[in-house]
Amino acid sequence: MKVLVIGPGGREHALIRALAADPYVTDLHCAPGNAGISRDVTTHQIDAQDTEAVVALARKLGSELVIVGPEAPLAAGVADALLAAQIPVFGPTQAAAQLEASKAFAKNVMAEAGVPTAMAMVATNTQEAAEALDSFGAPYVVKDDGLAAGKGVVVTSDRAEALAHAQTCFEAGGTVVIEEFLDGPEVSVFVICDGTHAVPLAPAQDFKRIFDNDEGPNTGGMGAYSPLPWLPAGFVDEVMDRVAYPTLRDMESRGTPFTGVLYCGLAITSRGIRVIEFNARFGDPETQAVLARLKTPLGGLLMAAAKGELDDDEQLHWRPETAVGVVMAAENYPESPIKGAPITGLDAAAALEDVSVLHAGTTTNAEGEIIVDGGRVLAVVGLGADLHSARAKAYAGVAAISWDGAQHRTDIALKAANGQINIAEGTH
């Protein structure tokens, strides 16, 4: 099977590594990729949102499956263009990708499908925003309605800060969704969908804030781990029954069937499971941890979804180890990351047992050195017998790598490893 992966980041590097391990994948390319991906497969420098360029490249390569990684190309209609060219694609159409591209659309789908989620109001101006904030009270949750690369959400007890974020969105020509705050730990579940049928991957938990103890501004994600030993029995079955299948049925009834990854961002509250958000693609950095454990060949699974041939009852096979991924970010991320610093220690880290280094914001300079080229630069994944072991391996990899201004959190999966995550009684 000839496969083309679209995207430049850490999620795409994780996909490339998993696809390379699939014996049925005989030819593997990525566009545009990054410095790490180009070490593994041939990369092609095209604009991932240029639908004509993507279709032309897929035709040139004879690609039998195109996997679209990031949200922006999906929202731009890359999947639609590939489908029109009769090239199998894993990723939703532009209409179906509204589940991520518009928070208001997603809330409407959830309401129609009876999916449990936070109560919310859509605001189009400052007065409406102020009324919604006062209606729900603190802590305030304000979300940019459009795509914001995981950074369009402000959660704060400061009403002025919440209102200021809403005002920034209005000034940019957008609207905001203001929600009730959801208590309880968060969980990410990726569901592989073919429009009708669905197969869940192992749950993960990510860490959004830049600093330890969940302090500082939101980022795209500073690390993740999988599986989650503290989840109640039957959790994934409940997510499928109450969230994934009702959403798929509603999307199908609208004439916009959802093919691809339905990313369910969930909170386990004192009142049960609630959907925080949907995304229309693999989450980053959870993908790096989840796919590190997957034994079932990924290419065959995604091809079955693209062709509408998924089996709801398929049991995926997983490595018994736990995976912990730690993101290394550029200086001054998430504000204005400082780029250009040469990175050392990559080979030393990758040579460690049960450690893999996945590139995100990297490129090469004129001297051939790998340098920083984005906010989130690398994810270092460790596999171990338990969370303590996996953490030790991931952080050993992190310790081997350096560049000027590098930053990372030191507490990824620490509370879970120490048994400090509690689920409210009455949840199940």
Side-chain angles (χ1 to χ4, degrees):
M1 185 191 337
K2 296 180 178 181
V3 181
L4 170 62
V5 176
I6 301 297
R11 157 190 45 229
E12 287 76 39
H13 201 182
L15 287 165
I16 291 287
R17 289 278 175 89
L19 290 162
D22 182 340
Y24 302 106
V25 176
T26 54
D27 192 45
L28 189 53
H29 294 256
C30 187
N34 57 44
I37 292 173
S38 66
R39 284 180 160 192
D40 293 347
V41 300
T42 303
T43 56
H44 306 265
Q45 295 309 303
I46 64 168
D47 179 353
Q49 295 180 56
D50 184 336
T51 57
E52 291 182 7
V54 172
V55 170
L57 178 61
R59 280 185 169 142
K60 176 184 171 186
L61 296 173
S63 303
E64 293 161 287
L65 176 65
V66 179
I67 299 165
V68 184
E71 58 271 30
L74 293 169
V78 165
D80 304 69
L82 289 161
L83 289 169
Q86 297 185 312
I87 299 170
V89 57
F90 181 80
T93 61
Q94 188 175 37
Q98 285 184 92
L99 272 179
E100 175 169 7
S102 170
K103 306 280 189 305
F105 175 83
K107 284 292 184 185
N108 184 264
V109 170
M110 285 187 262
E112 285 196 5
V115 171
T117 186
M119 291 186 291
M121 296 180 182
V122 177
T124 59
N125 58 53
T126 305
Q127 182 180 341
E128 290 176 359
E131 290 171 358
L133 291 173
D134 293 340
S135 173
F136 290 127
Y140 305 104
V141 181
V142 184
K143 298 181 177 182
D144 188 337
D145 183 45
L147 294 178
K151 297 189 283 290
V153 181
V154 164
V155 181
T156 178
S157 293
D158 183 335
R159 185 178 182 278
E161 182 186 354
L163 202 55
H165 179 62
Q167 188 61 37
T168 300
C169 296
F170 299 143
E171 288 169 0
T175 58
V176 298
V177 175
I178 295 172
E179 295 184 354
E180 65 171 329
F181 176 77
L182 297 176
D183 61 333
E186 296 185 11
V187 181
S188 301
V189 179
F190 302 153
V191 183
I192 308 296
C193 306
D194 72 358
T196 303
H197 308 285
V199 176
L201 300 186
Q205 186 178 56
D206 78 329
F207 297 77
K208 287 284 192 292
R209 304 279 185 168
I210 185 70
F211 300 129
D212 284 3
N213 301 313
D214 295 322
E215 295 179 356
N218 262 347
T219 70
M222 292 301 293
Y225 67 98
S226 182
L228 312 184
W230 47 269
L231 275 183
F235 175 82
V236 172
D237 290 338
E238 185 178 355
V239 172
M240 296 301 289
D241 291 343
R242 298 187 64 199
V243 178
Y245 285 123
T247 300
L248 285 184
R249 286 193 293 268
D250 186 82
M251 291 295 286
E252 207 167 9
S253 73
R254 291 168 180 255
T256 54
F258 186 93
T259 298
V261 178
L262 180 65
Y263 167 124
C264 305
L266 308 157
I268 307 179
T269 77
S270 54
R271 293 176 292 128
I273 293 173
R274 294 289 184 273
V275 174
I276 300 170
E277 64 174 352
F278 284 138
N279 289 332
R281 37 76 194 181
F282 283 103
D284 186 339
E286 298 99 322
T287 302
Q288 289 87 315
V290 171
L291 292 187
R293 300 181 55 248
L294 182 65
K295 288 174 68 176
T296 298
L298 182 65
L301 179 67
L302 302 190
M303 178 64 100
K307 289 188 169 182
E309 298 171 356
L310 269 185
D311 180 354
D312 287 305
D313 297 322
E314 176 161 5
Q315 296 297 308
L316 302 183
H317 298 284
W318 299 92
R319 294 179 62 154
E321 299 98 328
T322 290
V324 172
V326 179
V327 168
M328 299 184 71
E331 183 178 1
N332 209 39
Y333 177 75
E335 277 74 37
S336 300
I338 297 172
K339 302 178 182 181
I343 303 169
T344 61
L346 290 167
D347 292 335
L352 296 172
E353 188 175 1
D354 296 324
V355 172
S356 56
V357 181
L358 300 165
H359 289 236
T362 63
T363 189
T364 51
N365 62 14
E367 291 75 43
E369 298 173 302
I370 294 180
I371 61 171
V372 173
D373 192 44
R376 292 185 296 169
V377 182
L378 305 165
V380 182
V381 180
L383 282 170
D386 55 24
L387 280 168
H388 286 292
S389 171
R391 273 176 44 80
K393 291 181 179 182
Y395 280 106
V398 169
I401 300 169
S402 65
W403 68 84
D404 289 344
Q407 57 174 327
H408 66 271
R409 282 182 58 158
T410 66
D411 63 347
I412 302 300
L414 182 59
K415 286 184 178 178
N418 291 336
Q420 295 172 325
I421 295 184
N422 300 309
I423 296 174
E425 287 186 27
T427 300
H428 275 259

